[in-house]
Amino acid sequence: MSHRIAVNGELHLVDAAPETPLLYVLRNDLGLNGPKFGCGLGQCGACAAIVGGRLTRTCSIALGDVGRDKVTTLEGLGSVEKPHPLQKAFMDEQAAQCGYCSNGMIMAAKALLDRNPQPSEDEIKSALADQLCRCGVHNRVVRAVRRVAGERTR
Ligand code: FES
């Protein structure tokens, strides 16, 4: 069955069952490997994207439930040549070790800054609390997000 889906500003026609997790469609059909498969159970946040303006665990939403909501993945923020300020701050602060959680961390930070451009440190920690990282780069991640929030006040 074909579904029309808007991802990173482009419309795609995807031939998949409506119950297919959005994560599989993004990675397997559209070749967007920013979102990662971590737990597949909605528990780790590695697969996060912004769907209809909300931070969403794409392993836990079915393609058929996306409807007309616009999907933004990590690839929709910036590129290697032209990174989004958050992507640049993560690089500058070396806010990754293995990097598996980085997609979710950056997308959660993006969702936070979209609704609160100047969050406090506590607000940053709270917004990222459910994004799991096994390497322990949390402090660097918080510094990266603070860096972007700080730049916005200048
Ligand atoms: Fe989706 Fe873990 S892979 S929350």
Side-chain angles (χ1 to χ4, degrees):
M1 186 176 172
S2 287
H3 293 264
R4 211 177 269 274
I5 183 170
V7 182
N8 299 333
E10 280 181 32
L11 266 182
H12 298 269
L13 206 55
V14 174
D15 195 16
E19 62 271 22
T20 309
L22 175 59
L23 176 62
Y24 297 2
V25 172
L26 294 174
R27 291 182 58 88
N28 302 340
D29 295 276
L30 304 185
L32 297 169
N33 294 323
K36 299 285 183 282
F37 184 101
C39 64
L41 299 168
Q43 294 176 351
C44 73
C47 63
I50 295 176
V51 180
R54 287 209 307 273
L55 185 67
T56 300
R57 301 201 158 181
T58 60
C59 70
S60 300
I61 179 171
L63 173 63
D65 290 335
V66 175
R68 291 170 182 253
D69 283 350
K70 293 186 174 132
V71 179
T72 303
T73 70
L74 188 67
E75 291 87 345
L77 301 192
S79 61
V80 173
E81 299 75 29
K82 207 166 170 233
H84 182 279
L86 273 168
Q87 292 168 315
K88 182 168 185 326
F90 270 63
M91 288 188 275
D92 290 345
E93 293 288 350
Q94 299 186 14
Q97 187 165 310
C98 83
Y100 211 78
C101 71
S102 301
N103 169 72
M105 293 287 188
I106 292 173
M107 297 313 289
K110 169 81 167 63
L112 168 66
L113 293 176
D114 284 350
R115 65 175 187 273
N116 177 5
Q118 290 169 35
S120 67
E121 184 160 335
D122 280 350
E123 286 170 329
I124 294 170
K125 287 180 179 171
S126 155
L128 300 178
D130 292 335
Q131 301 298 133
L132 303 188
C133 167
R134 289 187 186 179
C135 308
V137 295
H138 299 86
N139 290 337
R140 290 177 182 208
V141 167
V142 171
R143 279 208 299 275
V145 181
R146 287 186 68 188
R147 183 189 278 240
V148 177
E151 281 168 2
R152 290 181 177 197
T153 62
R154 279 185 220 135

